[in-house]
Amino acid sequence: MSDTTEQPELQEPSLDEQIAAYQREFRDLDPQVEQVVSALGRLNRRMNVAYGRQVAALGISNAEWEVLKTLVLSGSPYRLGPGELAKRLGLTPAAMTHRIDRMAGEGLVTRDRDENNRVRVIVELTDEGRTKWLEAMRMATAFEEDLLQDLSGEERGALGEILIRLLRRVEHEQPDAGGRLTDLD
């Protein structure tokens, strides 16, 4: 006889519950520091899920979004070599090649030989890729405006400055932390 009762979904503990558990197990914990760091971590995770859902609705993956974004950030004509793309995204050349192959097949990028150096390959954003990037930006902008709707302009400015200070500290202490530890695809 099988048990057909559903198990309740495990809920993540509240921040207060998490901090209380940490303090119980590690008495040297500063609860203010832990509140900030845990809230940032949870916010980051939830924002990544929201962005992932948005790009999925456009028929692209987070990994593909990262390539589109990197090409746009490179400036017009939105072209980079695969090695430079891999370096900027913190990926291995093999992972980058796999990603480019997939995206070229979807019409998001082209991959052609450099006319000035036939050994070199150039990856370029297509009109379809740019359209997907623009639509993802529209969706993200609406999400971000909604996220920050309860903050005044002054609060947004102060929060931005504080977060930039934290980011600079991490970048200074761990300058190699911008890449990924492992490939995502």
Side-chain angles (χ1 to χ4, degrees):
M1 207 158 136
S2 67
D3 184 5
T4 59
T5 59
E6 289 187 32
Q7 294 290 330
E9 186 177 321
L10 294 177
Q11 295 291 322
E12 185 174 35
S14 71
L15 281 179
D16 289 340
E17 291 168 334
Q18 178 180 326
I19 293 166
Y22 284 179
Q23 284 182 299
R24 182 182 66 237
E25 301 297 326
F26 183 69
R27 299 210 184 276
D28 293 339
L29 182 81
D30 181 333
Q32 287 181 315
V33 170
E34 191 58 37
Q35 182 182 41
V36 169
V37 172
S38 294
L40 284 171
R42 286 184 186 200
L43 179 61
N44 180 57
R45 190 171 61 244
R46 284 167 174 77
M47 288 176 69
N48 284 335
V49 168
Y51 292 138
R53 288 177 179 152
Q54 289 176 342
V55 297
L58 298 174
I60 61 175
S61 68
N62 277 333
E64 291 168 332
W65 158 253
E66 292 287 332
V67 173
L68 298 178
K69 177 178 74 173
T70 302
L71 288 169
V72 169
L73 290 174
S74 74
S76 184
Y78 314 116
R79 304 171 70 190
L80 289 171
E84 182 62 23
L85 272 170
K87 183 178 176 183
R88 290 183 186 196
L89 291 170
L91 299 173
T92 63
M96 192 73 252
T97 298
H98 174 71
R99 195 172 293 181
I100 292 167
D101 287 346
R102 193 173 61 234
M103 293 179 72
E106 295 170 0
L108 300 171
V109 299
T110 59
R111 179 185 42 216
D112 294 308
R113 295 271 172 212
D114 185 341
E115 292 179 13
N116 299 322
N117 178 351
R118 299 297 295 161
V119 175
R120 187 169 183 250
V121 171
I122 297 291
V123 178
E124 185 171 347
L125 188 66
T126 64
D127 288 342
E128 174 69 12
R130 182 155 171 78
T131 298
K132 295 276 186 181
W133 178 81
L134 286 168
E135 186 56 31
M137 287 300 293
R138 283 185 198 93
M139 295 167 79
T141 298
F143 168 72
E144 292 157 0
E145 286 291 329
D146 186 57
L147 176 68
L148 298 176
Q149 70 179 328
D150 296 331
L151 300 180
S152 69
E154 185 176 297
E155 289 171 320
R156 289 179 186 196
L159 179 60
E161 289 174 14
I162 291 166
L163 291 173
I164 288 169
R165 284 196 338 243
L166 295 175
L167 178 60
R168 285 184 182 143
R169 164 121 7 235
V170 171
E171 289 173 342
H172 176 73
E173 298 295 325
Q174 300 198 27
D176 64 338
R180 294 187 172 84
L181 296 177
T182 59
D183 292 333
L184 299 178
D185 59 358

